[in-house]
Amino acid sequence: MAERYLIPKLGSVWVEEVVIYLFSWGTFLSVALLVHNDKHVRADVVIRLMSPQLQRQIEFINCLLSLVFSLIVAWYGGAVTIDAFSLDERSVTGSSIPIWLFYASLPSGMVLCATWYIRRLYQLAFQFDLSSFSVRSGHEA
């Protein structure tokens, strides 16, 4: 941004736009990584006081609801992305970068989140090991 004032001929609007696009992609890919590593923010103060078996049941319901939410957001995000692609929407700056590249970050990140929630649901349902249960529990197995 300083080049805009110091050396205006080197400055480009497209750089700021690319940074915004990359920031969006980084945000949604990071959300998926947080879900994968079970580090996403959640209110679990009361849940940690419950028995591990009850925590498992609540975690299953939480993952199921999160999966549904991720799929809904991915679906509608994908619809917006497809519309932007089919209408050939472009940014209003001189670079005319396709807007669908920006929009695609949302459904991509949500599909990755949904994938990790499916994996987590499978583990909770079929491969449950109380000693490796990762809800931040105060109980020891």
Side-chain angles (χ1 to χ4, degrees), residues 44-100:
D44 61 354
V45 173
V46 175
I47 295 172
R48 286 186 284 161
L49 300 174
M50 298 176 183
S51 70
Q53 193 59 31
L54 188 55
Q55 286 185 33
R56 173 189 180 202
Q57 294 169 355
I58 292 172
E59 180 67 10
F60 189 87
I61 293 168
N62 178 42
C63 285
L64 194 59
L65 292 173
S66 298
L67 172 63
V68 169
F69 175 79
S70 297
L71 292 174
I72 289 170
V73 173
W75 177 265
Y76 285 107
V80 170
T81 302
I82 291 169
D83 284 346
F85 180 80
S86 64
L87 295 172
D88 195 31
E89 288 184 36
R90 302 210 168 246
S91 65
V92 294
T93 63
S95 61
S96 296
I97 298 174
I99 294 291
W100 70 267

Side-chain angles (χ1 to χ4, degrees), residues 52 55-56 59 120 124 128-135 137:
Q55 286 185 33
R56 173 189 180 202
E59 180 67 10
R120 181 103 170 121
L124 287 168
F128 183 69
D129 179 15
L130 191 60
S131 63
S132 66
F133 191 53
S134 67
V135 169
S137 172

Side-chain angles (χ1 to χ4, degrees), residues 1-69:
M1 183 131 79
E3 82 278 353
R4 183 185 306 167
Y5 303 108
L6 299 175
I7 313 170
K9 290 183 181 184
L10 292 179
S12 302
V13 177
W14 69 269
V15 173
E16 291 179 28
E17 192 171 355
V18 168
V19 167
I20 291 170
Y21 282 34
L22 291 174
F23 188 82
S24 176
W25 275 93
T27 299
F28 287 109
L29 293 178
S30 296
V31 167
L33 185 62
L34 289 171
V35 170
H36 169 63
N37 293 329
D38 198 28
K39 301 288 185 193
H40 55 291
V41 176
R42 59 182 165 189
D44 61 354
V45 173
V46 175
I47 295 172
R48 286 186 284 161
L49 300 174
M50 298 176 183
S51 70
Q53 193 59 31
L54 188 55
Q55 286 185 33
R56 173 189 180 202
Q57 294 169 355
I58 292 172
E59 180 67 10
F60 189 87
I61 293 168
N62 178 42
C63 285
L64 194 59
L65 292 173
S66 298
L67 172 63
V68 169
F69 175 79

